[in-house]
Every structure is written in C-alpha cells, then in structure tokens.
C-alpha cells in the first residue's frame, strides 16, 4: 500500500465514522426537539458521507455493479487504521458546534439568528453557511450541486397533499392500535418514567390544538409572531391516563376534524403564508404541517411498539400483540 493509499483509507475511515456519529446525534437532537441543532448535525453527517464516498471512489473501490455485488458477497474487510478525531474536523464545523454548545448550556435550541442555512457540496463534502452564489472553492462544484439544510425545511419537505394525507390517516391508525386492548393496559406505564398509551394519544390531542392555533394565525393574520414557547410536553398529558379510551379517541377525532376543516381546500399561496418564529426565523404553514406530521409519526411508532410490548408481557390479554398489518405508514409526496 502506498502512502497516498494509506492516507485515503484513513480519510475514508474517519469520514465514515464521523457520518455515523453525526447521524446518531441528529436523531437524538430531534428526539429532544432541538431542531436547529439536529439540522446542523444532519448537514455535518452529509458532509462526512460525501467525503467518504469521494475517497471510496478514489481508492478504486466502486467498480461496475457486477464486481460490486461480488465484493459485497465476499465481504469487504477494511484494515484497522488510526484515524484521529472524526468529528469537528473543520473550522466552520467547530464554529457551529461551539454555537450549539452555548445554546445547550442555556437549555435551549439554536435560534434563527445564531445559525443560517447550511449547504454541503455533494461532490467533496465541503460545508458552507449562509447564501451561496459561487462554486465550491475546493472542487469547483456549482451551487446547484450542493445539498441544502434550510431552516424553513428543518421539519421536512412534504407538500400540502402529503401533509393532508398523513393528517387524515392518523385517527385510523390510533383506533387500530386501541382496538381490543383493555383499559388497564392502555393506562399502564411499563416504567414510571415512560408514558402510557393513553397519555401519548392525549399528547397528540394537545399538539393538534397547538398546530391548529398556529395554522389559524398564519392564515388569518399578516406575518404573525408565533409563540416561542414549546408546545405541551408529554408530562402535561398525565390527566388523560384516568380518562376512558373512547373519550380520548373522541377528543382526537373532534380536534382533528376542526384542523382538517381549516386546511382543506387551501391554495398553494395559503400554504406558503409566512410568519416569524424566534427559533426558526421565517416559517410558513408548510413548515408547521411538516412539524406536526413528523411529530405524530414518531409517537405512532412509539405507540405501536408500546402496544406490542405490553400485550406480549400480559397474561390473558384479549388482543393479539401482532396487528397483522403495518398501521404506521410512511407518507411520500407522490401520495
């Protein structure tokens, strides 16, 4: 192995490990509702991935598909290489991470005025912040060849049709998850720190109301200042634990019906009406729609897993732990 090959393999290993680390951290940041910090980690992960793929090709490891299948079956076995640090390896990355560190020490997310839109060169992985109008200084890739991580898209990039399809499907999923499960199990907490199924669904009721209020403000007022406070957290849903399951489902049905009635038939211009949020800067109704869809899907997956685990561990449960179908479905823009 030449010294150049050894260096390429070191860079490949470092970038691959860095991508895994940033990707895992981005998921945790989203779980903690630090969406701007999650966006930063996602951009850094993409930069590492682009760098790893570029070096992998430089090493001659990406041949024709037939050869690649053969090598995959044979088992690609990289050599053990000392990499040095695998994250925070560029000045801009360190600068943005230091901003995130200051925000976390204040128990908050990054604000819109603390981090701009982030762009990653998909050819070489170079990281850039703010408005870009010129080619990559490292490899010459044009601005159009950069992947954007914009604040306004931090919640997702679904359009109106996909957002509506998801919102319309949630109640059906909830009813299937509740079907046949005894009240006692629906109120059970596997561990004291983990919410019950009833509390999780009650939380979805609360969040739907918050989303509808924000949607109304965006639709009915000119560039409103949206409340900076976080929506109700899960611990605020404890009161739902003592309510009958039918009452909770009825509350979700009533709230979601109002929300859908507000959104149904909106024009593209209406979905793009803008407001301002302290954390996310200029946002529109699409931003908030993607937020509520992503939030619901996370909790629906959690609900499905919790239901399964409770029924598997329950003696004499009437309902089957296996639903026989996937009730939490991905929604793509083509639907």
């Amino acid at each position: 192995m030449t010294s150049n090959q050894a260096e390429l393999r070191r860079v490949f290993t470092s970038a691959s490990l860095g991508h895994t680390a940033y990707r895992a951290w981005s998921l945790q940041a989203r779980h903690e509702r630090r969406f701007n910090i999650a966006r930063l980690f996602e951009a850094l992960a993409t930069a590492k991935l682009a760098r790893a793929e570029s070096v992998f090709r430089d090493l001659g490891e990406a041949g024709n598909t037939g050869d690649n299948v053969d090598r995959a079956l044979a088992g690609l076995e990289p050599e053990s290489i000392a990499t040095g640090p695998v994250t925070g390896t560029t000045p801009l990355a360190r600068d943005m991470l230091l901003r995130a560190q200051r925000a976390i020490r204040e128990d908050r997310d990054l604000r819109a005025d603390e981090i701009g839109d982030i762009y990653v060169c998909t050819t070489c992985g170079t990281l850039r912040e703010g408005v870009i109008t010129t080619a990559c200084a490292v490899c010459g890739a044009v601005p159009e060849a950069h992947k954007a991580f914009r604040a306004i898209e931090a919640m997702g990039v679904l359009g109106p049709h996909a957002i509506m399809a998801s919102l319309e499907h949630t109640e059906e999923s909830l009813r299937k998850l509740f079907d046949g499960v005894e009240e006692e199990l629906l109120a059970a907490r596997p561990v004291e720190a983990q919410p019950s199924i009833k509390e999780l669904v009650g939380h979805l009721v609360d969040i739907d109301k918050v989303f509808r209020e924000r949607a109304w403000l965006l639709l009915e007022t000119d560039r409103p200042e949206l409340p900076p406070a976080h929506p109700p957290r899960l611990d605020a849903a404890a009161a739902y634990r003592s309510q009958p399951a039918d009452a909770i489902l009825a509350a979700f049905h009533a709230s979601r019906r109002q929300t859908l009635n507000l959104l149904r038939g909106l024009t593209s211009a209406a979905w793009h009406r803008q407001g301002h949020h302290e954390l996310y800067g200029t946002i529109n109704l699409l931003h908030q729609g993607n937020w509520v869809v992503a939030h619901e899907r996370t909790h629906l997956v959690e609900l499905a897993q919790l239901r399964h685990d409770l029924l598997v561990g329950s003696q004499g449960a009437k309902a089957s732990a296996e639903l026989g179908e996937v009730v939490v479905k991905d929604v793509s823009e083509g639907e």
Side-chain angles (χ1 to χ4, degrees):
M1 181 188 301
T2 67
S3 59
N4 184 56
Q5 286 178 317
E7 174 60 13
L8 287 175
R9 292 193 180 279
R10 186 198 68 78
V11 173
F12 170 68
T13 304
S14 173
S16 299
L17 292 172
H19 168 259
T20 301
Y22 283 134
R23 174 64 180 162
W25 294 338
S26 73
L27 295 173
Q28 181 62 29
R30 283 198 174 275
H31 179 72
E32 295 177 13
R33 302 201 290 193
R34 312 288 192 185
F35 295 111
N36 276 326
I37 294 176
R39 179 167 61 93
L40 168 58
F41 280 142
E42 287 160 2
L44 292 171
T46 299
K48 288 291 186 181
L49 181 60
R51 181 64 173 146
E53 289 175 346
S54 175
V55 172
F56 194 68
R57 288 190 293 270
D58 290 343
L59 284 165
E61 299 285 10
N64 63 59
T65 302
D67 289 342
N68 293 340
V69 170
D70 291 341
R71 296 194 66 198
L73 285 169
L76 187 63
E77 186 175 356
E79 298 177 16
S80 178
I81 297 174
T83 64
V86 300
T87 60
T89 54
T90 67
L92 180 56
R94 290 192 61 79
D95 178 61
M96 290 192 290
L97 287 168
L98 285 170
R99 294 179 231 166
Q101 185 182 67
R102 288 193 290 272
I104 289 296
R105 286 175 176 170
E106 296 176 10
D107 192 29
R108 61 176 177 83
D109 195 4
L110 284 164
R111 296 189 303 269
D113 60 358
E114 294 175 311
I115 188 164
D117 292 340
I118 306 169
Y119 295 85
V120 176
C121 175
T122 57
T123 301
C124 71
T126 296
L127 198 69
R128 304 167 75 177
E129 183 183 14
V131 178
I132 64 169
T133 58
T134 58
C136 175
V138 175
C139 71
V142 295
E144 292 80 0
H146 288 62
K147 182 174 175 60
F149 293 84
R150 300 183 182 91
I152 202 167
E153 297 172 349
M155 301 299 176
V157 293
L158 295 177
H161 185 74
I163 290 171
M164 291 296 290
S166 180
L167 295 179
E168 289 168 349
H169 182 72
T170 299
E171 184 179 351
E172 179 186 353
S173 297
L174 292 176
R175 291 190 179 279
K176 288 179 179 177
L177 290 169
F178 269 57
D179 188 37
V181 183
E182 294 91 337
E183 292 278 343
E184 182 181 355
L185 282 179
L186 291 172
R189 290 175 174 171
V191 293
E192 191 54 35
Q194 185 175 357
S196 66
I197 290 176
K198 287 186 175 183
E199 288 166 284
L200 283 169
V201 178
H203 176 63
L204 295 185
V205 176
D206 294 341
I207 292 297
D208 188 62
K209 294 175 181 176
V210 171
F211 168 60
R212 187 170 62 254
E213 290 168 0
R214 292 182 176 181
W216 186 90
L217 280 173
L218 288 166
L219 291 169
E220 299 296 330
T221 59
D222 186 32
R223 296 186 67 84
E225 187 71 29
L226 297 180
H230 278 300
R233 295 187 179 274
L234 262 171
D235 53 12
Y240 287 99
R241 192 180 182 198
S242 60
Q243 295 185 21
D246 286 346
I248 300 172
L249 289 173
F252 184 87
H253 172 79
S255 179
R256 180 51 49 90
R257 182 173 58 181
Q258 292 181 56
T259 299
L260 292 173
N261 287 340
L262 176 65
L263 301 178
R264 194 169 281 121
L266 290 180
T267 63
S268 176
W271 280 97
H272 284 86
R273 283 183 62 86
Q274 294 182 338
H276 184 267
H277 192 282
E278 180 184 4
L279 287 180
Y280 311 119
T282 298
I283 63 171
N284 54 30
L285 185 52
L286 284 174
H287 176 280
Q288 289 296 283
N290 274 279
W291 163 67
V292 76
V293 167
H295 177 269
E296 281 190 359
R297 190 181 190 286
T298 297
H299 284 308
L300 284 170
V301 172
E302 185 180 1
L303 281 163
Q305 187 66 59
L306 179 55
R307 176 192 184 279
H308 176 273
D309 294 347
L310 285 170
L311 290 172
V312 167
S314 175
Q315 295 288 340
K318 296 178 182 178
S320 169
E322 304 300 333
L323 287 163
E325 62 177 314
V326 177
V327 299
V328 185
K329 298 175 182 176
D330 286 324
V331 178
S332 65
E333 189 49 54
E335 296 185 6

